[in-house]
Short mmCIF file of all heavy atoms in Angstrom, two decimals:
data_model
loop_
_atom_site.label_atom_id
_atom_site.label_comp_id
_atom_site.label_asym_id
_atom_site.label_seq_id
_atom_site.Cartn_x
_atom_site.Cartn_y
_atom_site.Cartn_z
N VAL A 102 68.94 -60.18 255.77
CA VAL A 102 67.54 -60.12 256.17
C VAL A 102 66.63 -60.66 255.05
O VAL A 102 66.75 -60.29 253.90
CB VAL A 102 67.13 -58.67 256.53
CG1 VAL A 102 65.62 -58.59 256.76
CG2 VAL A 102 67.87 -58.18 257.76
N GLY A 103 65.75 -61.59 255.43
CA GLY A 103 64.87 -62.23 254.46
C GLY A 103 65.52 -63.31 253.67
O GLY A 103 64.91 -63.84 252.72
N ALA A 104 66.76 -63.68 253.99
CA ALA A 104 67.51 -64.65 253.20
C ALA A 104 68.42 -65.48 254.08
O ALA A 104 69.61 -65.61 253.83
CB ALA A 104 68.33 -63.90 252.14
N GLY A 105 67.87 -66.09 255.11
CA GLY A 105 68.66 -66.90 256.02
C GLY A 105 69.13 -68.23 255.48
O GLY A 105 70.01 -68.86 256.02
N PHE A 106 68.50 -68.68 254.39
CA PHE A 106 68.88 -69.90 253.67
C PHE A 106 68.80 -71.18 254.52
O PHE A 106 69.29 -72.22 254.10
CB PHE A 106 70.27 -69.77 253.01
CG PHE A 106 70.19 -69.37 251.56
CD1 PHE A 106 70.05 -68.04 251.21
CD2 PHE A 106 70.22 -70.31 250.56
CE1 PHE A 106 69.95 -67.64 249.89
CE2 PHE A 106 70.11 -69.96 249.23
CZ PHE A 106 69.98 -68.61 248.89
N TYR A 107 68.21 -71.08 255.69
CA TYR A 107 67.96 -72.28 256.51
C TYR A 107 69.23 -73.03 256.85
O TYR A 107 69.27 -74.26 256.96
CB TYR A 107 66.89 -73.17 255.85
CG TYR A 107 65.63 -72.38 255.56
CD1 TYR A 107 65.33 -71.94 254.27
CD2 TYR A 107 64.80 -72.00 256.60
CE1 TYR A 107 64.21 -71.16 254.02
CE2 TYR A 107 63.65 -71.24 256.37
CZ TYR A 107 63.37 -70.80 255.06
OH TYR A 107 62.24 -70.04 254.83
N VAL A 108 70.32 -72.26 257.05
CA VAL A 108 71.58 -72.83 257.50
C VAL A 108 71.92 -72.27 258.88
O VAL A 108 71.36 -71.26 259.31
CB VAL A 108 72.74 -72.53 256.52
CG1 VAL A 108 72.40 -73.02 255.12
CG2 VAL A 108 73.09 -71.04 256.51
N ASP A 109 72.85 -72.91 259.58
CA ASP A 109 73.44 -72.37 260.78
C ASP A 109 74.76 -71.73 260.42
O ASP A 109 75.75 -72.44 260.09
CB ASP A 109 73.67 -73.48 261.83
CG ASP A 109 72.42 -73.90 262.55
OD1 ASP A 109 71.38 -73.22 262.40
OD2 ASP A 109 72.48 -74.92 263.27
N ALA A 110 74.83 -70.42 260.41
CA ALA A 110 76.03 -69.73 260.01
C ALA A 110 77.18 -70.04 260.98
O ALA A 110 76.99 -70.17 262.19
CB ALA A 110 75.80 -68.21 259.99
N THR A 111 78.36 -70.16 260.40
CA THR A 111 79.57 -70.40 261.20
C THR A 111 80.52 -69.21 261.15
O THR A 111 81.52 -69.18 261.90
CB THR A 111 80.31 -71.65 260.70
OG1 THR A 111 80.65 -71.47 259.31
CG2 THR A 111 79.45 -72.89 260.84
N GLN A 112 80.25 -68.26 260.24
CA GLN A 112 81.15 -67.14 260.04
C GLN A 112 80.64 -65.88 260.75
O GLN A 112 79.44 -65.63 260.77
CB GLN A 112 81.29 -66.85 258.53
CG GLN A 112 81.80 -68.02 257.73
CD GLN A 112 83.17 -68.49 258.16
OE1 GLN A 112 84.14 -67.78 258.10
NE2 GLN A 112 83.23 -69.73 258.64
N GLU A 113 81.58 -65.12 261.31
CA GLU A 113 81.21 -63.83 261.89
C GLU A 113 81.02 -62.82 260.77
O GLU A 113 81.65 -62.92 259.74
CB GLU A 113 82.32 -63.37 262.85
CG GLU A 113 82.52 -64.30 264.02
CD GLU A 113 81.29 -64.45 264.90
OE1 GLU A 113 80.41 -63.56 264.86
OE2 GLU A 113 81.20 -65.47 265.60
N PRO A 114 80.08 -61.86 260.99
CA PRO A 114 79.28 -61.62 262.18
C PRO A 114 77.93 -62.28 262.17
O PRO A 114 77.01 -61.92 262.90
CB PRO A 114 79.11 -60.07 262.11
CG PRO A 114 79.00 -59.80 260.63
CD PRO A 114 79.92 -60.80 259.98
N TRP A 115 77.75 -63.33 261.37
CA TRP A 115 76.47 -63.99 261.16
C TRP A 115 76.17 -65.08 262.18
O TRP A 115 75.02 -65.43 262.41
CB TRP A 115 76.37 -64.56 259.74
CG TRP A 115 76.74 -63.53 258.71
CD1 TRP A 115 77.94 -63.41 258.08
CD2 TRP A 115 75.91 -62.48 258.23
NE1 TRP A 115 77.91 -62.33 257.22
CE2 TRP A 115 76.68 -61.75 257.29
CE3 TRP A 115 74.60 -62.11 258.46
CZ2 TRP A 115 76.18 -60.66 256.60
CZ3 TRP A 115 74.05 -61.03 257.79
CH2 TRP A 115 74.87 -60.30 256.87
N ALA A 116 77.21 -65.67 262.74
CA ALA A 116 77.07 -66.93 263.48
C ALA A 116 76.20 -66.77 264.74
O ALA A 116 75.58 -67.75 265.18
CB ALA A 116 78.43 -67.47 263.88
N ARG A 117 76.14 -65.60 265.33
CA ARG A 117 75.41 -65.47 266.58
C ARG A 117 73.90 -65.61 266.39
O ARG A 117 73.20 -66.25 267.19
CB ARG A 117 75.72 -64.10 267.23
CG ARG A 117 74.98 -63.85 268.51
CD ARG A 117 75.31 -62.51 269.13
NE ARG A 117 74.53 -62.29 270.35
CZ ARG A 117 74.51 -61.15 271.03
NH1 ARG A 117 75.28 -60.13 270.63
NH2 ARG A 117 73.78 -61.02 272.11
N HIS A 118 73.37 -64.99 265.34
CA HIS A 118 71.91 -64.95 265.18
C HIS A 118 71.39 -65.75 263.98
O HIS A 118 70.23 -66.21 264.02
CB HIS A 118 71.44 -63.50 265.02
CG HIS A 118 71.71 -62.63 266.20
ND1 HIS A 118 71.14 -62.87 267.45
CD2 HIS A 118 72.51 -61.55 266.37
CE1 HIS A 118 71.55 -61.94 268.31
NE2 HIS A 118 72.40 -61.13 267.67
N TYR A 119 72.17 -65.92 262.96
CA TYR A 119 71.67 -66.56 261.73
C TYR A 119 71.80 -68.08 261.86
O TYR A 119 72.71 -68.69 261.33
CB TYR A 119 72.40 -66.00 260.50
CG TYR A 119 71.81 -64.68 260.05
CD1 TYR A 119 72.02 -63.52 260.79
CD2 TYR A 119 71.05 -64.62 258.90
CE1 TYR A 119 71.47 -62.32 260.42
CE2 TYR A 119 70.48 -63.41 258.50
CZ TYR A 119 70.68 -62.27 259.26
OH TYR A 119 70.12 -61.07 258.86
N ARG A 120 70.82 -68.65 262.57
CA ARG A 120 70.83 -70.09 262.90
C ARG A 120 69.46 -70.68 262.53
O ARG A 120 68.81 -71.33 263.37
CB ARG A 120 71.17 -70.30 264.36
CG ARG A 120 72.57 -69.82 264.73
CD ARG A 120 72.84 -69.97 266.21
NE ARG A 120 72.49 -71.30 266.73
CZ ARG A 120 73.21 -72.37 266.55
NH1 ARG A 120 74.35 -72.32 265.88
NH2 ARG A 120 72.81 -73.53 267.06
N MET A 121 69.05 -70.48 261.30
CA MET A 121 67.71 -70.88 260.90
C MET A 121 67.55 -72.40 260.81
O MET A 121 66.43 -72.91 260.99
CB MET A 121 67.36 -70.24 259.56
CG MET A 121 67.16 -68.72 259.63
SD MET A 121 65.83 -68.21 260.74
CE MET A 121 64.38 -68.87 259.88
N TYR A 122 68.62 -73.14 260.53
CA TYR A 122 68.50 -74.59 260.50
C TYR A 122 68.08 -75.14 261.86
O TYR A 122 67.07 -75.86 261.97
CB TYR A 122 69.83 -75.20 260.06
CG TYR A 122 69.86 -76.72 260.12
CD1 TYR A 122 69.31 -77.47 259.07
CD2 TYR A 122 70.39 -77.40 261.20
CE1 TYR A 122 69.32 -78.86 259.11
CE2 TYR A 122 70.41 -78.80 261.24
CZ TYR A 122 69.87 -79.51 260.19
OH TYR A 122 69.85 -80.90 260.25
N SER A 123 68.81 -74.76 262.87
CA SER A 123 68.49 -75.25 264.23
C SER A 123 67.15 -74.68 264.72
O SER A 123 66.41 -75.34 265.43
CB SER A 123 69.60 -74.88 265.22
OG SER A 123 70.76 -75.64 264.94
N TYR A 124 66.87 -73.43 264.32
CA TYR A 124 65.61 -72.84 264.75
C TYR A 124 64.43 -73.63 264.21
O TYR A 124 63.50 -74.00 264.92
CB TYR A 124 65.52 -71.39 264.28
CG TYR A 124 64.15 -70.78 264.54
CD1 TYR A 124 63.76 -70.46 265.84
CD2 TYR A 124 63.25 -70.56 263.51
CE1 TYR A 124 62.51 -69.93 266.10
CE2 TYR A 124 61.99 -70.02 263.75
CZ TYR A 124 61.62 -69.72 265.06
OH TYR A 124 60.38 -69.22 265.32
N VAL A 125 64.42 -73.94 262.90
CA VAL A 125 63.31 -74.65 262.28
C VAL A 125 63.26 -76.09 262.80
O VAL A 125 62.21 -76.58 263.20
CB VAL A 125 63.42 -74.61 260.74
CG1 VAL A 125 62.38 -75.53 260.11
CG2 VAL A 125 63.23 -73.19 260.23
N ARG A 126 64.40 -76.76 262.77
CA ARG A 126 64.42 -78.19 263.12
C ARG A 126 64.08 -78.44 264.56
O ARG A 126 63.34 -79.38 264.88
CB ARG A 126 65.79 -78.79 262.80
CG ARG A 126 65.84 -80.29 263.03
CD ARG A 126 67.26 -80.84 263.02
NE ARG A 126 68.01 -80.36 264.18
CZ ARG A 126 69.24 -80.75 264.47
NH1 ARG A 126 69.88 -81.60 263.64
NH2 ARG A 126 69.87 -80.29 265.52
N ASP A 127 64.60 -77.60 265.45
CA ASP A 127 64.47 -77.88 266.88
C ASP A 127 63.49 -76.95 267.59
O ASP A 127 62.42 -77.36 268.02
CB ASP A 127 65.84 -77.80 267.55
CG ASP A 127 66.81 -78.84 266.99
OD1 ASP A 127 66.37 -79.96 266.64
OD2 ASP A 127 68.01 -78.53 266.87
N GLU A 128 63.85 -75.66 267.67
CA GLU A 128 63.06 -74.79 268.54
C GLU A 128 61.66 -74.56 268.02
O GLU A 128 60.69 -74.66 268.80
CB GLU A 128 63.78 -73.45 268.71
CG GLU A 128 63.08 -72.56 269.74
CD GLU A 128 63.84 -71.26 270.03
OE1 GLU A 128 64.72 -70.90 269.23
OE2 GLU A 128 63.53 -70.64 271.05
N LEU A 129 61.49 -74.25 266.74
CA LEU A 129 60.15 -74.03 266.24
C LEU A 129 59.33 -75.29 266.32
O LEU A 129 58.16 -75.27 266.75
CB LEU A 129 60.22 -73.55 264.77
CG LEU A 129 58.88 -73.35 264.07
CD1 LEU A 129 58.08 -72.26 264.75
CD2 LEU A 129 59.07 -73.05 262.58
#
Side-chain angles (χ1 to χ4, degrees):
V102 172
F106 264 83
Y107 305 103
V108 304
D109 282 350
T111 59
Q112 302 300 298
E113 297 300 339
W115 309 98
R117 179 179 177 187
H118 297 297
Y119 278 72
R120 297 177 47 79
M121 291 298 294
Y122 175 82
S123 291
Y124 173 73
V125 171
R126 186 193 67 176
D127 298 325
E128 187 175 17
L129 177 64

